[in-house]
């Protein structure tokens, strides 16, 4: 990376290029996918989730995540710990070394809390809830367990909750009566229950697993700490001594608006008091408590307006005095504010992550004075996630990723910055090309950069066709591997894939975001065209064969590109915003988007207003279960392309435009067979219009 070919890629001509998993979609979908880390209290066991197909690739219908143990020293081979039929998630250790996780072992049962004793043996269900367990937290010193689960509003207790759920299921009742804003979220309905936090009293004998414990499985007592919670996700942290929690708390403000406070909850009594009350300027979130229980670190996020972009900040609060301090304020980086930060065991420092110049940095913060420094890592061209500090405070563990590699476990020496790869249950796959970096300077003097994935053999003698791939967000960066948006599949078919970070991208300072705020069709668009111009000037790129594509906000930009230039041979727009006046009130988070999408923005930057200028073949892709960008956007785009675009139709009404519709997929299209169809259809569309070839790749399952 950093402008040179990836060292793991050997250059070959196109004729003798070795096959890779990216040349075959069955092989690609079968690649194991690593995610999440948890470390035992003594630092000897590192746990990660590994997602694999439930069947052979040609028959698989879903991914299933199993828990694997990774040697933190890097000597022993990884070993699989769980084999549940529906998979496992949320691994966390008790102080005694027992491993807790969330799993549903029966297709008809909700997820429950399971445990594997530190002494070994079979996993046992230790706590259940009629609405299913969605998250688990453990106090690092006392072992107090807090779970999150969905409870029905009117149920007096868990038994009634269970009975009502069964009756709704038996009578096929799905109706939900709403009393406030918040109906759907991403791909699921909100309600009829609410997220609650429960203190779980685990029977040590059940966790240990004696012979007579089977009859008590799942019987842990659950004590509701938040009985008045209203349809919200509660992001919480538990103090090390287990005496209190700090949680987000959504408050309805009226006129479909909400704010997010931070509250302190007594773990014994459930007594709640507000620590930080949000207002019209700021919201709060992502709480984490220091090991000594003295300091709370949280995010303070500036609410956006049509003129002002949001800005997440890290802050700390002294829990005795209530005094607050901004952390790392001198670093103009986009901190990964939504992820919990990692405290060192002695509470002296805090590790955070941030987007930085198409990569991801680790920041070390001193909460006492707010100062911060970026760790000087031996592999600075990667992005680091899931950071965990080791018990000795000398090292940390993380997942390392980039567009050269999917996530892999590493150990980081905090003094030297040396990054050492650990033995992974998901080995790094061979790539079908090389990764380099391009940049340019725009007319207003702004630097814009991108990753460029080049196919093997691309040269001045054999220039590659170019695919501009625009990221979503829009507050995002092409700085980490994506299984869903994988450029190497296109590279394996001979395309050079450009992954730019235009205005609104994170990791380049607040001013870079502000350049495009409320003006999506201005600086973001001109940045994309400028970096495309610079890339097409390369001798190994064929500027006569080009296409553009994007998903979500990237789909918005693809639509905008289609209506404002004829330079591309094809456009692919996935889950895209088309008519901003329609999208704003119908998305699942209308209150948020209304803060940016003003009437003036609609009038100046809505792609649907330029439909008559579209003279490029467009492939529209949308899932009906997409609640972030509702299906109405795709349906209206498809109709208006056929009825009003500037591309003439044949006399029989046929068109070069296409619409790939998934009735039961969401914003991303995630199931294995649909994912393969997604790539096949896009590759066929590009082949027909960019390469002027019939790819023959349309799957027969499309009919």
């Amino acid at each position: 990376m950093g402008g040179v070919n990836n060292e793991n890629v050997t250059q070959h001509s196109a004729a003798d290029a070795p096959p890779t998993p990216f040349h075959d979609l069955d092989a690609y979908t079968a690649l194991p996918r690593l995610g999440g880390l948890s470390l035992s209290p003594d630092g000897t066991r590192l746990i990660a989730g590994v997602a694999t197909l439930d069947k052979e690739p040609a028959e698989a219908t879903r991914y299933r995540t199993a828990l694997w143990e990774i040697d933190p020293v890097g000597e022993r081979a990884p070993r699989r710990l769980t084999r549940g039929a529906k998979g496992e998630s949320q691994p966390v250790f008790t102080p005694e070394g027992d491993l807790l996780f969330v799993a549903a072992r029966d297709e008809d049962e909700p997820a429950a809390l399971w445990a594997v004793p530190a002494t070994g043996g079979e996993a046992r269900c230790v706590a259940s809830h009629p609405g299913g367990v969605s998250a688990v937290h453990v106090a690092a010193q006392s072992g107090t367990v807090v779970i999150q689960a969905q409870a029905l509003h009117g149920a007096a207790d868990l038994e009634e909750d269970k009975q009502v759920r069964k009756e709704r299921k038996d009578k096929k009742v799905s109706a939900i009566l709403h009393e406030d804003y918040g109906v759907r979220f991403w791909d699921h309905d909100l309600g009829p229950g609410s997220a609650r936090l429960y203190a779980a009293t685990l029977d040590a004998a059940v966790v240990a697993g004696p012979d007579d414990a089977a009859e008590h499985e799942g019987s842990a007592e659950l004590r509701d700490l938040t009985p008045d919670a209203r349809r919200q996700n509660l992001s919480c942290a538990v103090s090390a001594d287990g005496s209190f929690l700090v949680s987000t708390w959504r408050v309805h403000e009226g006129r479909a608006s909400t704010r997010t406070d931070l509250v302190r909850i007594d773990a014994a009594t459930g007594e709640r008091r507000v620590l930080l009350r949000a207002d019209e300027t700021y919201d709060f979130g992502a709480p984490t408590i220091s090991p000594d229980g003295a300091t709370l670190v949280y995010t303070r996020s500036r609410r956006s307006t049509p003129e002002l972009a949001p800005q997440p900040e890290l802050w700390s609060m002294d829990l005795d005095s209530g005094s607050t301090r901004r952390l790392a304020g001198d670093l103009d980086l986009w901190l990964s504010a939504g992820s919990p930060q990692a405290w060192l065991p002695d509470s002296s420092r805090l590790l955070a992550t941030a987007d930085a110049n198409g990569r991801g940095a680790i920041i070390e913060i001193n909460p006492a004075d707010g100062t911060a420094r970026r760790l000087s890592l031996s592999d600075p061209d990667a992005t680091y996630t899931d950071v965990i500090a080791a018990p000795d405070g000398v090292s940390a563990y993380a997942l390392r990723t980039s567009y050269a590699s999917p996530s892999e476990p590493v150990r980081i020496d905090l003094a030297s910055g040396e990054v050492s790869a650990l033995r992974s249950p998901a080995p790094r796959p061979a790539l079908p090309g090389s990764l380099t970096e391009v940049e340019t300077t725009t007319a207003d003097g702004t630097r814009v950069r991108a990753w460029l994935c080049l196919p093997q053999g691309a040269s001045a003698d054999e220039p590659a066709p170019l695919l501009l791939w625009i990221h979503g967000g829009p507050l995002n960066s092409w700085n980490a591997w994506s299984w869903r948006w994988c450029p190497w599949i296109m590279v394996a078919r001979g395309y050079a894939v450009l992954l730019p970070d235009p205005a609104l991208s994170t990791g380049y300072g607040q001013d870079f975001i502000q350049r495009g705020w409320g003006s999506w069709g201005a600086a973001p668009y001109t940045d994309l065209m400028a970096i495309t111009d610079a890339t097409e000037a390369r001798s190994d790129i064929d500027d006569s064969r080009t296409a553009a594509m994007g998903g979500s906000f990237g789909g918005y930009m693809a639509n905008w590109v289609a209506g404002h230039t004829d330079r591309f041979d094809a456009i692919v727009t996935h889950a895209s915003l088309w008519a901003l006046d329609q999208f704003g009130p119908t998305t699942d988070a209308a209150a948020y988007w209304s803060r940016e999408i003003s009437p003036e923005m609609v009038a100046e930057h809505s792609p649907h207003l330029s439909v008559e200028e579209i003279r490029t073949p467009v492939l529209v892709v949308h899932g009906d279960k997409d609640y972030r960008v509702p299906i109405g956007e795709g349906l209206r785009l498809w109709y208006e392309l056929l009825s009003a675009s500037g591309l003439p139709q044949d006399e029989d009404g046929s068109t070069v435009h296409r619409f790939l519709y998934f009735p039961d997929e969401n914003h991303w299209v995630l199931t294995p067979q649909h994912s393969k169809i997604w790539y096949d259809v896009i590759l066929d569309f590009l082949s027909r219009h960019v390469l002027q070839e019939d790819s023959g790749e349309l799957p027969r399952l499309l009919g």
Side-chain angles (χ1 to χ4, degrees):
M1 298 172 71
V4 298
N5 290 334
N6 180 273
E7 63 183 6
N8 291 327
V9 178
T10 303
Q11 292 298 303
H12 297 269
S13 69
D16 66 355
T20 72
F22 305 95
H23 287 84
D24 179 85
L25 288 175
D26 278 342
Y28 171 73
T29 57
L31 289 172
R33 304 168 180 202
L34 185 70
L37 285 180
S38 181
L39 185 66
S40 63
D42 61 4
T44 62
R45 302 178 66 196
L46 192 63
I47 307 298
V50 179
T52 55
L53 295 176
D54 62 344
K55 301 174 185 176
E56 291 300 310
E59 305 296 329
T61 58
R62 63 187 294 269
Y63 286 95
R64 179 177 57 202
T65 300
L67 301 183
W68 285 67
E69 182 173 327
I70 299 169
D71 179 14
V73 179
E75 297 176 352
R76 300 190 308 274
R79 68 185 183 98
R80 185 171 179 171
L81 299 179
T82 61
R83 297 182 180 274
K86 293 187 67 176
E88 297 83 21
S89 65
Q90 312 264 341
V92 62
F93 284 94
T94 68
E96 295 76 24
D98 301 321
L99 177 63
L100 304 181
F101 58 89
V102 175
R105 292 298 174 90
D106 189 299
E107 291 292 338
D108 296 326
E109 294 295 326
L113 183 64
W114 291 69
V116 175
T119 54
E122 293 295 318
R124 292 178 177 271
C125 178
V126 294
S128 62
H129 189 286
V133 175
S134 58
V136 57
H137 310 270
V138 178
Q141 297 167 6
S142 70
T144 299
V145 175
V146 174
I147 68 167
Q148 181 171 311
Q150 288 281 331
L152 296 178
H153 298 297
D157 52 35
L158 296 187
E159 184 58 34
E160 183 180 359
D161 189 297
K162 183 176 181 179
Q163 292 173 358
V164 174
R165 289 180 187 276
K166 183 178 185 305
E167 189 173 358
R168 282 175 62 90
K169 180 179 179 181
D170 292 344
K171 295 182 178 181
K172 300 188 183 303
V173 172
S174 59
I176 302 169
L177 179 63
H178 291 276
E179 60 186 31
D180 47 47
Y181 182 74
V183 176
R184 308 189 296 183
F185 188 69
W186 283 115
D187 61 355
H188 61 275
D189 295 315
L190 297 179
S194 292
R196 305 275 184 85
L197 296 175
Y198 295 86
T201 304
L202 298 188
D203 187 327
V206 172
V207 174
D211 293 338
D212 62 351
E215 62 184 86
H216 303 295
E217 286 193 351
S219 61
E221 178 187 351
L222 300 181
R223 184 163 40 83
D224 194 346
L225 299 174
T226 57
D228 57 338
R230 297 172 62 188
R231 291 184 191 166
Q232 56 183 293
N233 287 321
L234 300 172
S235 172
C236 83
V238 182
S239 64
D241 65 5
S243 63
F244 69 96
L245 299 69
V246 175
S247 176
T248 57
W249 196 262
R250 191 176 68 164
V251 179
H252 292 270
E253 300 176 308
R255 306 191 73 82
S257 179
T258 62
R259 70 171 193 265
T260 305
D261 297 343
L262 284 183
V263 299
R264 177 172 177 153
I265 302 171
D266 187 281
T269 66
E271 180 184 355
R272 184 175 71 243
R273 65 181 177 88
V274 176
L275 292 178
L276 291 161
R277 188 180 304 278
D279 56 26
E280 60 187 17
T281 305
Y282 297 106
D283 281 310
F284 302 98
T288 182
I289 304 168
S290 62
D292 62 12
T295 305
L296 171 71
V297 169
Y298 57 94
T299 62
R300 190 182 82 165
S301 300
R302 183 176 66 195
R303 288 193 182 187
S304 58
T305 70
E307 298 78 27
L308 195 62
Q311 183 175 15
E313 303 167 349
L314 272 183
W315 284 67
S316 68
M317 169 184 281
D318 184 292
L319 289 172
D320 285 334
S321 68
S323 62
T324 61
R325 176 196 304 274
R326 186 179 178 185
L327 306 178
D330 56 336
L331 297 179
D332 190 14
L333 295 175
W334 187 268
L335 293 167
S336 303
S339 302
Q341 318 306 319
W343 285 94
L344 270 62
D346 63 359
S347 301
S348 64
R349 288 171 293 163
L350 185 75
L351 301 178
T353 56
D355 292 349
N357 194 38
R359 293 125 172 116
I362 298 179
I363 309 299
E364 184 183 77
I365 301 169
N366 182 345
D369 59 13
T371 59
R373 69 180 182 95
R374 179 173 172 173
L375 293 186
S376 179
L377 301 174
S378 61
D379 185 4
D381 281 341
T383 291
Y384 297 87
T385 68
D386 300 83
V387 179
I388 305 172
D392 60 10
V394 173
S395 58
Y397 299 94
L399 294 181
R400 175 179 62 187
T401 181
S402 69
Y403 269 96
S405 169
S407 294
E408 54 191 6
V410 296
R411 182 178 62 252
I412 303 167
D413 185 296
L414 295 178
S416 67
E418 183 66 27
V419 180
S420 305
L422 302 176
R423 298 181 68 176
S424 174
R428 178 185 293 202
L431 300 180
S434 59
L435 186 67
T436 190
E437 197 170 11
V438 294
E439 65 176 65
T440 191
T441 301
T442 64
D444 66 0
T446 302
R447 169 181 172 267
V448 176
R449 57 154 303 284
W451 294 114
L452 178 63
C453 304
L454 287 166
Q456 294 173 354
S459 66
D461 294 329
E462 296 183 46
L466 180 68
L467 174 60
L468 167 65
W469 200 332
I470 310 165
H471 70 61
L475 303 177
N476 204 349
S477 171
W478 284 122
N479 65 358
W481 184 279
S482 170
W483 290 105
R484 186 61 206 92
W485 319 107
C486 185
W488 296 110
I489 292 175
M490 280 62 180
V491 172
R493 274 68 173 179
Y495 296 93
V497 180
L498 182 65
L499 306 173
D501 278 353
L504 290 173
S505 298
T506 56
Y508 305 91
Q510 193 66 24
D511 288 346
F512 195 77
I513 294 171
Q514 192 63 47
R515 285 176 65 239
W517 191 255
S519 302
W520 293 357
Y525 170 70
T526 55
D527 285 359
L528 289 170
M529 295 304 98
I531 195 68
T532 301
D533 289 341
T535 305
E536 288 181 350
R538 293 170 57 101
S539 63
D540 51 5
I541 299 298
D542 183 352
D543 63 358
S544 69
R545 298 184 297 168
T546 62
M549 67 180 286
S552 194
F553 169 78
Y556 162 92
M557 287 306 314
N559 294 337
W560 186 266
V561 167
H564 289 80
T565 179
D566 297 335
R567 68 183 295 171
F568 297 102
D569 301 309
I571 300 288
V572 179
T573 178
H574 170 97
S576 64
L577 290 69
W578 173 241
L580 294 185
D581 58 340
Q582 172 181 276
F583 164 77
T586 59
T587 178
D588 62 349
Y592 170 84
W593 292 103
S594 68
R595 297 171 187 164
E596 178 181 7
I597 301 177
S598 64
E600 293 76 16
M601 181 179 173
V602 171
E604 295 181 21
H605 300 285
S606 188
H608 81 286
L609 299 175
S610 301
V611 64
E612 294 179 356
E613 302 302 319
I614 295 179
R615 296 178 175 83
T616 305
V618 177
L619 169 62
V620 180
V621 186
H622 221 112
D624 203 286
K625 299 298 183 183
D626 184 352
Y627 300 155
R628 179 54 47 95
V629 183
I631 185 60
E633 294 296 295
L635 294 175
R636 181 171 174 180
L637 168 57
W638 179 237
Y639 172 76
E640 293 184 349
L641 277 176
L642 299 187
S643 64
S645 73
L647 198 61
Q649 297 182 9
D650 292 339
E651 292 183 1
D652 62 359
S654 61
T655 177
V656 294
H657 301 310
R658 293 291 184 268
F659 183 16
L660 178 59
Y661 169 62
F662 294 95
D664 53 1
E665 284 286 358
N666 59 19
H667 194 60
W668 301 279
V669 183
L670 297 177
T671 57
Q673 302 306 324
H674 280 163
S675 178
K676 290 190 293 184
I677 287 174
W678 188 90
Y679 281 109
D680 274 336
V681 172
I682 289 175
L683 287 167
D684 177 78
F685 190 77
L686 295 178
S687 181
R688 291 175 186 273
H689 297 290
V690 178
L691 306 182
Q692 302 299 310
E693 299 173 357
D694 183 349
S695 73
E697 295 197 43
L698 280 181
R700 62 189 297 269
L701 292 178
L702 284 173

